[in-house]
Amino acid sequence: MSSEYDTVGRPEFDFFHADKFDKIGNITDSQGVNYDVYHGDTLAFCPAVALFLRVSAECYERKLGGPYLSLGNNRRMLWAQHASTVVGGICYEYEQESRVGAIILGFVREDLRGRNIYGQMHMIFEDEIRRIGGVRIYAQIHADSKSQIRSLEKAGLTPYYLRLQQWITD
């Protein structure tokens, strides 16, 4: 007995639709490995989402997550990959009214951190924000996330304001 959900005879679904994502550059890490950099205007079918979610989970497990996790198909992604393996990315939203690129999370695979992958992706990210009319970039990160703070400061971001809070429950 078959049903409408049978997959026999159907072609395998290709999650990387090359026509949805644009190759926008190349970078070389500090050890001489080359990566292609891609961009997508949606998270739908984006190959970088799995790594984004793993690194987001790592942040929350280490108590470095934000007050909310901002996801949705209207978010955009810039990512680097070697062959077909995603090694890092920047998930963001573009706020048209204020012309701001808001970084949701910049991330690099744990075994490749410290190789200047993020710094180079960030430069391409800046170019992309300028290209679409942006004038500023911001990121909200946990105050105890020293590595994220260092990465963003190296990329040229400076503290703009502090969000202070007080827990009033027992």
Side-chain angles (χ1 to χ4, degrees):
M1 176 177 216
S2 69
S3 75
E4 64 183 292
Y5 301 107
D6 285 345
T7 57
V8 176
R10 292 186 186 174
E12 185 176 319
F13 186 74
D14 176 14
F15 279 96
F16 186 77
H17 297 289
D19 60 329
K20 288 186 78 160
F21 306 114
D22 299 316
K23 181 178 172 187
I24 61 171
N26 298 86
I27 60 173
T28 303
D29 73 13
S30 62
Q31 296 191 9
V33 179
N34 296 314
Y35 304 93
D36 294 325
V37 179
Y38 293 87
H39 181 269
D41 285 334
T42 178
L43 296 185
F45 306 112
C46 176
V49 169
L51 181 59
F52 166 77
L53 292 172
R54 283 195 297 276
V55 174
S56 294
E58 174 188 317
C59 290
Y60 280 91
E61 287 169 351
R62 295 173 51 213
K63 309 271 190 268
L64 299 174
Y68 62 91
L69 183 59
S70 181
L71 283 179
N73 285 341
N74 61 338
R75 302 300 182 251
R76 301 174 185 200
M77 185 79 77
L78 177 142
W79 72 95
Q81 66 183 52
H82 181 70
S84 61
T85 302
V86 175
V87 299
I90 299 173
C91 182
Y92 72 99
E93 65 181 319
Y94 181 68
E95 299 171 357
Q96 184 69 43
E97 316 76 46
S98 57
R99 299 172 50 198
V100 172
I103 298 172
I104 295 166
L105 181 67
F107 56 96
V108 174
R109 219 172 67 192
E110 188 172 11
D111 61 322
L112 297 174
R113 293 176 189 164
R115 292 169 67 165
N116 196 30
I117 294 170
Y118 180 81
Q120 293 181 74
M121 282 190 306
H122 189 91
M123 289 189 302
I124 295 172
F125 170 66
E126 285 180 19
D127 290 343
E128 178 63 19
I129 295 300
R130 279 188 204 95
R131 185 189 70 74
I132 60 178
V135 295
R136 288 185 302 135
I137 295 169
Y138 77 78
Q140 293 189 109
I141 58 174
H142 195 284
D144 293 334
S145 184
K146 305 300 181 207
S147 65
Q148 283 185 321
I149 292 169
R150 271 192 312 275
S151 291
L152 290 169
E153 285 178 339
K154 275 188 199 177
L157 279 78
T158 56
Y160 182 68
Y161 69 90
L162 294 173
R163 173 184 164 168
L164 306 175
Q165 69 180 17
Q166 174 186 11
W167 292 98
I168 57 172
T169 59
D170 293 334

